[in-house]
Structure formats: structure tokens, C-alpha cells
């Protein structure tokens, strides 16, 4: 046996063994050892094949603008105090406006200078007298507002991606659509309500000091002390599981936010045998938490998540080290989900569900059955046609075609690609292209035989003449598939992936594997006539 034949044989054999190892977890998942399952994932099925969730979320970008103005208000207040500028108050109006109320024009000029230096994105709009005071109005520029809205959608997409990854969904699809919409497809999700709750939670974590001097009854009647707000503490009866709410007046000012979190994990409280969420701040957050607890010993600090108070413990002593806990009679699932959203970060703005569709597994199984049936029907017809028309050479083409399917399935598993319904169409199309490549080769070989060439010379010449035509046809299709993959979305990408993989496998089997089989057949034999 020549070195070339040995090398090609070993290469095909290795590819075949590797393919069998890669496909086995898909076919025999329950009977394989764990190391095998760890090495190769089964082929992932798309939303249209295994069912799941299809969501379109809308990001409330106006809230992101308001949050940005609120942040600037905190910074402006701090800067005014730092520079000893006398002012009455700083407040937000009409969503994107910031108003600084001062006592005279001299202080107003100082405010203008401060805003121009420190916050150039704010544009002064009006200068009015109001009740003997002077109101300095500022508004974010249109460009800045557009940037904030665009960033809010991109940040929301990234946060949702982190949450989905930690939720454990394989092969999710998250894409930004037009306007402020985000498309999310979660194949195989079995608990849609939990997924919606997890994705829709804003998860803005805040720490606020409780105002113990406020009268709760007055607060419920709408008479709140200046600089405070009314929130409700969530209580769960440990025996009955019934939930109730306790009104709580807290300071408006947020002393610490969840943006400074480094980690969040679920732990078990040994006293009540119930889970709680342990949080760790980063270095900046830990220092800030240390300062806050040192300055508020004896007071209650409310831990607020999305405007709901989960706990409001009394600060007994200064807490250094940057760790705290959120308890609230959680179930294990609630605590896990809370830890996930805290680790993934809060959404920059609330999201609302614009479209919610659930694809049932029965529809997915029906799609799989129809797709596989179409592949079998196509394959059987092709096998019959090739064997009838090309005789023994047709058998060679069938073997190459079978290996083609094996290699496609193996590459789908090894690359972690997702098989979708359009992907099955891509495989069917690939089968047709593989047959076309064999037909091109065999027709060239027939022409050479008609010219009187010996079988081996006819094969050499036939493969050589058909090679460039096959490469040209498959290469242009491959480029089209790559363009579809780059610019397409969802099912179009699934089609492009299987088509690309199929073309590569088709080239390998049609040109390399079929030629290897012919070479084995002719090796050491005096063949006068080739069955083709």
C-alpha cells in the first residue's frame, strides 16, 4: 500500500471515529459514561424543534434618562456643598430637566459656571424668578439623550444575556431589534413564568435609612416629611406562607446601590433553616458600607429591591468587610433567582413584555419528525437513482453520502451549533449538492472511458476535470452561506450554519472519500471495466 493511500485511509478513519464519538451523546445519552458526556455535548435543538419561549421585551428608555438626571442631581448637590454655593434645593422636573433653586443672581452665576465646567452635557434653558427665588433650569442635550437611550438598550441586552446564561438555558437567542425592542428565544424552557419573572425584574438594589420619627398614619394619608418616601416591607408568615406588607418611611436619599456589588450567593440560615442571599461589595462598596454603618449605628437600614423593602435590620455596630445579607423568608427558587439578577446586574431601565409566545414540545417533536422524514425520503430517492444510473460507482457515491451526513451531525455537535427547522432544510439542500458533485465527477469519468482510457486513468482525469467546477460551485454557495450567517438572524442563521457545515463535509466526501474508495478498489487489481 502506498504512503498516500495509507495516509488518506488513516485520516478518513480518524474523522469517522471522532464523528462517532461526537454523535454518540446525541443518540445514546443515557447509556454513556459521564466523561464521554462531558467531552461532547449532544446536538442542540432550536426553539422550533424542542419548544420554548419567544419573548419581545421593550426597554423603557425614558426611565433611563430620568435615572441619569437623578444621578446628576446627586452629583450637583455634592459639588454645590463642596464649593460652598448657597442653594435652596435641587430637583428633577419633566423627566429630563434639572432645576437648581438659588437665592440671588450671584449664586446663580456660580451654579452656571459649575454646570458648564462639570456637566457640559446639560444645556441651560430658562432663567426665571419664582416666589422670590431664582430657578436655574438645565436639560440634557438631544445628543446626550439619544446616547443614554441607546446605551440603556445595549446595557439591558447585556444584563439579560448574563441572566439567561446563569439561568442555564442552552443556545439562547438574544438580539436587539428596531426601536427599543429586544428579542429573546429560550429553547427548552420548562417554567415560562419563572423565566419571565427573572428577565423582567429590574433588580435595582438600594440601601436607605429608615426615618423612625415619621408618623406612619400621616404617611399613609399622604403627609410625608420632606425628603422621605413611603415604601412597603415584604413579610412572609413562616408557618402559613401568607404574604403581608408593612408600611415604612425611608429617607429619599439612597446611601448605597447594588452597582457596587461584587458577588451574591444563596446560603441557608441555620436558625430558621431557610435560604437568604449573601452579598459582597467590591472595594469601593465595602468602604462606603463601612462608612454608612459607622455613621448610622442604632438606626434601621432598609434593603430595597425594585421599591420593595426586603428587610430593614437595625445597625448594631460598624460593619467592615463589605458583606451583608438579604433575608425575606425566600423559597430556594426565589433566593436563587434573586442571587442571579444581583450577580448579573440591574437593568438600566424597566422592561415590559410586548410579545410572549410559547412553542410547545409537541409542535417541536412534530417538526423534528417531518424534517427527519423529508431527509430519509430524499436520501432513499437519491440512493436508488445513483445505484440504478451509476451501478457500483453509485454505491460508492451512497457511501460518501452516508459519511457526509455523519460528518455534518458530528460537526454540529462539536461546534455546539443549534439545529433548527431551516437547518434541516440546509441539510437536505446539502444532500442535493453532494449528489451533484458526484454526478459531475462520474460524468467526466464516463467521458474519459468513452475515449478509451483505462479505468485508473479515466478516474484520474475525471476527478481532475471536475475538481475546479465542484470547488467553484461549492465555494460560491459557501460564501453566500457565510453572508447569511453574518447578517441573518434566528432561523436564517441556523440555515446558514448547517449549509456551511454541509458544504465542507460534501467537498470532503465527494472529492476525498469517494476517490479513496476507488483507489482501494483498483489497488493491485487489473480492472478492465469500471462499473459506472
Amino acid at each position: 500500500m502506498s504512503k498516500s493511500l495509507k495516509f488518506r485511509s488513516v485520516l478518513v478513519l480518524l474523522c469517522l471515529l471522532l464523528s462517532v464519538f461526537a454523535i454518540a451523546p446525541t443518540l445514546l445519552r443515557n447509556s454513556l459514561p459521564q466523561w464521554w458526556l462531558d467531552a461532547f455535548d449532544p446536538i442542540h435543538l432550536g426553539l422550533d424543534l424542542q419548544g420554548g419561549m419567544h419573548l419581545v421585551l421593550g426597554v423603557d428608555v425614558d426611565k433611563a434618562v430620568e435615572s441619569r438626571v437623578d444621578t446628576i442631581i446627586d452629583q450637583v448637590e455634592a459639588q454645590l456643598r463642596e464649593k460652598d454655593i448657597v442653594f435652596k434645593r435641587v430637583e428633577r422636573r419633566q423627566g429630563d430637566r434639572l432645576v437648581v433653586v438659588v437665592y440671588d443672581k450671584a449664586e446663580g452665576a456660580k451654579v452656571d459656571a459649575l454646570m458648564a465646567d462639570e456637566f457640559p452635557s446639560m444645556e441651560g434653558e430658562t432663567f426665571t424668578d419664582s416666589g422670590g427665588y431664582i430657578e436655574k433650569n438645565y436639560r440634557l442635550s438631544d445628543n446626550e439623550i439619544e446616547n443614554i437611550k441607546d446605551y440603556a438598550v445595549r446595557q439591558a441586552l447585556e444584563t439579560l444575556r448574563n441572566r439567561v446564561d446563569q439561568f442555564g438555558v442552552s443556545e439562547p437567542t438574544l438580539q436587539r431589534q428596531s426601536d427599543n425592542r429586544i428579542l429573546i428565544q429560550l429553547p427548552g424552557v420548562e417554567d415560562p413564568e419563572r423565566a419571565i419573572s427573572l428577565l423582567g425584574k429590574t433588580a435595582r438594589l438600594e440601601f436607605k435609612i429608615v426615618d423612625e420619627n415619621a408618623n406612619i398614619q400621616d404617611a399613609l394619608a399622604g403627609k410625608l416629611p420632606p425628603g422621605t418616601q413611603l415604601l412597603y416591607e415584604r413579610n412572609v408568615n413562616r408557618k402559613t406562607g401568607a404574604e403581608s406588607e408593612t408600611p415604612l418611611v425611608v429617607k429619599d436619599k439612597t446611601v448605597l446601590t447594588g452597582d457596587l456589588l461584587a458577588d451574591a450567593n444563596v446560603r441557608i440560615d441555620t436558625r430558621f433553616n431557610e435560604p437568604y442571599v449573601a452579598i459582597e461589595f467590591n472595594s469601593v462598596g465595602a468602604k462606603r458600607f463601612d462608612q454608612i454603618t459607622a455613621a448610622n449605628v442604632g438606626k434601621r437600614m432598609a434593603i430595597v429591591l425594585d421599591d420593595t423593602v426586603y428587610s430593614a435590620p437595625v445597625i448594631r455596630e460598624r460593619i467592615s468587610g463589605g458583606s451583608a445579607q438579604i433575608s425575606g423568608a425566600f423559597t430556594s427558587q426565589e433566593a436563587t433567582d434573586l442571587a442571579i439578577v444581583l450577580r448579573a446586574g440591574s437593568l438600566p431601565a424597566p422592561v415590559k413584555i410586548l410579545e410572549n409566545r410559547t412553542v410547545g414540545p409537541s409542535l417541536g417533536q412534530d417538526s423534528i419528525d417531518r424534517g427527519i422524514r423529508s431527509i430519509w425520503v430524499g436520501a432513499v430517492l437519491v440512493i436508488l437513482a445513483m445505484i440504478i444510473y451509476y451501478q457500483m460507482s453509485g454505491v460508492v457515491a451512497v457511501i460518501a453520502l452516508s459519511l457526509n451526513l455523519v460528518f455534518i451531525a458530528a460537526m454540529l455537535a462539536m461546534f455546539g451549533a443549534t439545529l433548527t427547522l431551516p437547518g434541516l432544510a440546509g441539510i437536505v439542500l446539502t444532500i442535493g449538492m453532494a449528489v451533484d458533485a458526484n454526478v459531475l465527477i462520474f460524468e467526466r469519468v464516463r467521458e474519459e472511458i468513452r475515449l478509451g482510457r483505462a479505468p485508473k486513468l479515466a478516474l484520474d482525469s475525471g476527478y481532475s476535470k471536475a475538481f475546479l467546477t465542484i470547488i467553484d460551485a461549492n465555494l460560491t454557495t459557501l460564501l453566500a452561506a457565510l453572508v447569511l450567517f453574518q447578517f441573518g438572524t434566528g432561523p436564517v442563521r441556523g440555515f446558514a450554519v448547517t449549509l456551511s457545515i454541509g458544504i465542507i463535509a460534501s467537498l470532503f466526501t465527494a472529492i476525498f472519500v469517494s476517490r479513496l474508495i476507488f483507489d482501494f478498489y483498483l489497488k493491485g487489481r487489473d480492472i478492465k471495466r469500471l462499473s459506472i
Side-chain angles (χ1 to χ4, degrees), residues 46-54 186-190 192 357-368:
L47 185 71
D48 51 357
L49 293 183
Q50 66 168 319
M53 292 187 65
H54 171 101
L186 305 176
V189 167
E190 297 176 352
R357 285 190 285 120
T358 301
V359 180
S362 58
L363 179 59
Q365 188 59 47
D366 185 57
S367 301
I368 294 173

Side-chain angles (χ1 to χ4, degrees), residues 239-255:
K239 294 182 179 177
T240 63
E243 292 190 16
S244 60
E245 292 182 331
T246 304
L248 208 60
V249 177
V250 300
K251 302 282 187 184
D252 256 344
K253 185 177 178 63
T254 299
V255 294

Side-chain angles (χ1 to χ4, degrees), residues 50-268:
Q50 66 168 319
M53 292 187 65
H54 171 101
L55 294 170
V56 177
L57 302 181
V59 182
D60 189 352
V61 291
D62 292 334
K63 290 291 184 185
V65 176
E66 292 177 6
S67 297
R68 178 61 176 273
V69 175
D70 286 340
T71 303
I72 294 177
I73 286 174
D74 289 341
Q75 295 172 338
V76 168
E77 281 185 324
Q79 293 275 344
L80 291 173
R81 290 192 178 91
E82 186 179 320
K83 295 181 182 297
D84 290 329
I85 298 175
V86 180
F87 67 101
K88 181 174 176 57
R89 64 177 180 273
V90 182
E91 61 186 19
R92 173 170 55 81
R93 290 182 190 170
Q94 300 175 17
D96 60 349
R97 292 174 187 273
L98 181 153
V99 177
V100 182
V101 181
V102 294
Y103 295 94
D104 54 46
K105 290 184 179 179
E107 297 302 312
K110 293 180 182 176
V111 172
D112 281 336
L114 170 70
M115 295 299 292
D117 289 342
E118 303 293 336
F119 306 97
S121 61
M122 301 293 290
E123 298 174 342
E125 274 203 329
T126 56
F127 184 80
T128 58
D129 293 332
S130 175
Y133 302 106
I134 298 173
E135 288 187 352
K136 307 293 293 184
N137 286 248
Y138 302 93
R139 179 182 178 275
L140 287 167
S141 66
D142 290 338
N143 282 340
E144 184 66 13
I145 289 175
E146 287 304 312
N147 288 337
I148 292 171
K149 290 181 176 179
D150 178 66
Y151 180 74
V153 178
R154 287 191 283 117
Q155 189 181 351
L157 181 63
E158 191 60 31
T159 301
L160 291 171
R161 195 186 305 281
N162 289 337
R163 290 185 185 181
V164 169
D165 288 344
Q166 297 195 32
F167 188 51
V169 178
S170 63
E171 294 303 313
T173 299
L174 288 94
Q175 292 167 349
R176 181 177 181 176
Q177 295 190 314
S178 59
D179 300 329
N180 307 316
R181 299 183 172 199
I182 295 176
L183 167 70
I184 301 177
Q185 291 183 333
L186 305 176
V189 167
E190 297 176 352
D191 189 350
E193 295 301 324
R194 184 188 173 199
I196 291 174
S197 173
L198 189 71
L199 294 174
K201 192 173 288 184
T202 307
R204 178 167 175 76
L205 180 65
E206 300 169 293
F207 293 80
K208 294 174 180 280
I209 301 300
V210 176
D211 186 348
E212 300 289 2
N213 297 320
N215 186 300
I216 294 297
Q217 296 306 319
D218 288 345
L220 290 173
K223 299 176 183 176
L224 281 166
T228 64
Q229 64 181 131
L230 180 65
L231 296 177
Y232 289 87
E233 183 177 6
R234 174 179 179 268
N235 301 305
V236 179
N237 189 310
R238 291 190 173 88
K239 294 182 179 177
T240 63
E243 292 190 16
S244 60
E245 292 182 331
T246 304
L248 208 60
V249 177
V250 300
K251 302 282 187 184
D252 256 344
K253 185 177 178 63
T254 299
V255 294
L256 191 63
T257 68
D259 298 341
L260 301 175
L261 279 185
D263 198 9
N265 288 294
V266 178
R267 294 179 186 167
I268 302 298

Side-chain angles (χ1 to χ4, degrees), residues 445-491:
V445 174
R446 274 183 167 181
E447 289 174 0
E448 297 300 319
I449 290 176
R450 289 193 197 104
L451 292 174
R453 296 186 187 277
K456 189 170 188 320
L457 291 175
L459 283 171
D460 289 342
S461 184
Y463 270 89
S464 177
K465 288 182 177 178
F467 180 77
L468 287 180
T469 306
I470 294 170
I471 290 292
D472 181 56
N474 284 273
L475 194 60
T476 51
T477 307
L478 180 61
L479 289 175
L482 293 177
V483 172
L484 284 177
F485 180 79
Q486 179 65 32
F487 298 104
T489 59

